[in-house]
Amino acid sequence: RKRPQTPIMLRRLTARSLQGFARRANSNAVWSEARQTAAAAEIAAKGAAANVEFFQFSFVDLFGVQRSKLVPASRVGEMAEGGAGFGGFAAWLDQDPSMGDLLAMPDPSTLTPLPWNPRVGWLSCDLVWQGAELDQGPRNVLRKTLRSLEARGLAMKTGVECEFFLVDADGSAPADAADVQVKPCYDAHALLRRFDVISEMMEAMEALGWGPYQADHEDANGQFEINWDFDDALKTADRVVFFKYMARSVAEKHGLRATFMPKPFQNLTGSGCHAHVSLHDAGTGKNVCSGDGALGLSDAARHFVAGVLGDAPALAALTNPTVNSYK
């Protein structure tokens, strides 16, 4: 199959310029109007430098569904300062129509021209309601947690392994009719038959500075995984949201669908998202989980793992929120 050409505008953006959009300046700080005014000016300037014509203000709800609005460059300054309005009841955010609008406040450090459509710049947003951060906004929850770690002199870094299926356009079956091995994990032929989709995604991730280092065919027919470098927890979380968006968009471009549904096919292994989590000294960056105890772990690491295990039943409500997760 003829390899699709990289959009001309993306080729004009060097890896260095794209990576510049990933720089994060105190994104964990509590939202304020003054901070957002400065953010709006930064977004407008960065967008103009990258020839962005439209901005996609995005957030995810409690089920991980991405919601967004499209803002033209001519109005991005005022929209980024005042926020894009959303009816919280229309998303999975535990609100009702009487509660008024939410405001999505974009983080300028997340501005990313879409590799498959560089006219559009994607932005991750913090949710604000009645002048304060929405308590249950997923990004706000993570930022609050990271601030509590910072108060203890700690920072959290994460790496993820997002599994997904490439399926027919109607979602009825894995897209590759030849992918029928009983044990298809790491199947070289099945991987290369989807080279067009996987390579396009990896090239985009390289240009964005994510550091993708491997891709493989996973344990189910039609299932794949792409790994990239670990980073600060908030940056990784934003990248997971963008990765899912990119996978679906690139797959659609090739006449396929990408799904991150936990169990799309009853007879095949389901998809997961392995998370590698480590705690670091906020000042020196040293990994505080490494030690001379059992399994090479420090006391801090063992206490951290004990806390995760102790709260695992409650965490499952967020990490596995649908019936499909348990099939």
Side-chain angles (χ1 to χ4, degrees):
R1 179 181 296 180
K2 183 178 178 181
R3 183 179 177 186
Q5 294 295 309
T6 304
I8 293 175
M9 289 184 69
L10 180 58
R11 293 203 297 270
R12 290 175 182 167
L13 292 172
T14 65
R16 182 182 297 274
S17 67
L18 283 170
Q19 290 172 28
F21 291 111
R23 298 192 185 103
R24 187 175 302 283
N26 199 25
S27 292
N28 297 340
V30 177
W31 176 85
S32 69
E33 290 185 0
R35 178 170 170 258
Q36 199 61 40
T37 297
E42 185 178 351
I43 288 167
K46 283 183 174 180
N51 297 315
V52 169
E53 300 173 36
F54 295 90
F55 295 79
Q56 193 169 19
F57 286 33
S58 302
F59 69 91
V60 294
D61 61 24
L62 291 169
F63 279 4
V65 179
Q66 184 174 188
R67 316 285 181 168
S68 73
K69 284 192 173 182
L70 199 61
V71 176
S74 61
R75 306 295 295 271
V76 72
E78 63 183 278
M79 293 296 292
E81 182 173 4
F86 291 82
F89 69 93
W92 299 108
L93 287 168
D94 195 29
Q95 289 200 312
D96 64 60
S98 70
M99 301 177 78
D101 274 1
L102 297 167
L103 295 175
M105 301 293 186
D107 180 341
S109 70
T110 66
L111 177 59
T112 307
L114 300 182
W116 61 95
N117 186 2
R119 296 175 63 196
V120 179
W122 181 89
L123 287 158
S124 184
C125 296
D126 300 318
L127 295 177
V128 170
W129 180 62
Q130 295 186 349
E133 293 179 1
L134 180 72
D135 287 339
Q136 67 270 33
R139 197 170 191 265
N140 292 344
V141 173
L142 177 57
R143 290 167 57 245
K144 182 179 180 180
T145 300
L146 295 177
R147 287 196 297 270
S148 70
L149 282 174
E150 288 174 0
R152 301 170 66 177
L154 296 170
M156 178 183 289
K157 295 184 181 293
T158 56
V160 293
E161 302 177 27
C162 294
E163 296 171 341
F164 61 97
F165 280 84
L166 290 175
V167 301
D168 290 336
D170 63 3
S172 62
D176 183 0
D179 189 353
V180 294
Q181 276 208 60
V182 175
K183 282 186 173 290
C185 201
Y186 314 125
D187 184 344
H189 297 281
L191 176 62
L192 265 291
R193 283 196 296 270
R194 285 290 166 251
F195 179 79
D196 50 357
V197 177
I198 301 299
S199 64
E200 183 172 345
M201 291 175 61
M202 294 186 80
E203 286 174 348
M205 293 161 73
E206 283 189 313
L208 293 171
W210 291 17
Y213 57 88
Q214 65 181 10
D216 66 79
H217 187 290
E218 278 295 320
D219 195 59
N221 306 112
Q223 188 184 48
F224 299 88
E225 178 180 295
I226 302 176
N227 306 133
W228 66 90
D229 290 340
F230 77 97
D231 214 312
D232 295 333
L234 184 59
K235 183 180 289 187
T236 296
D238 286 335
R239 286 177 175 176
V240 168
V241 175
F242 190 87
F243 177 78
K244 294 168 73 174
Y245 184 28
M246 177 169 63
R248 293 178 177 125
S249 299
V250 172
E252 286 176 3
K253 189 173 132 183
H254 291 269
L256 309 174
R257 286 178 66 182
T259 177
F260 294 81
M261 188 176 181
K263 189 75 169 177
F265 304 107
Q266 191 65 41
N267 63 322
L268 297 177
T269 303
S271 292
C273 182
H274 302 131
H276 304 265
V277 183
S278 55
L279 295 176
H280 298 253
D281 184 289
T284 66
K286 180 182 177 181
N287 188 335
V288 302
C289 294
S290 178
D292 54 9
L295 303 176
L297 298 177
S298 66
D299 287 343
R302 289 195 292 273
H303 294 160
F304 177 69
V305 171
V308 172
L309 291 175
D311 286 329
L315 288 171
L318 297 176
T319 59
N320 305 76
T322 67
V323 171
N324 187 257
S325 296
Y326 303 90
K327 286 189 175 181

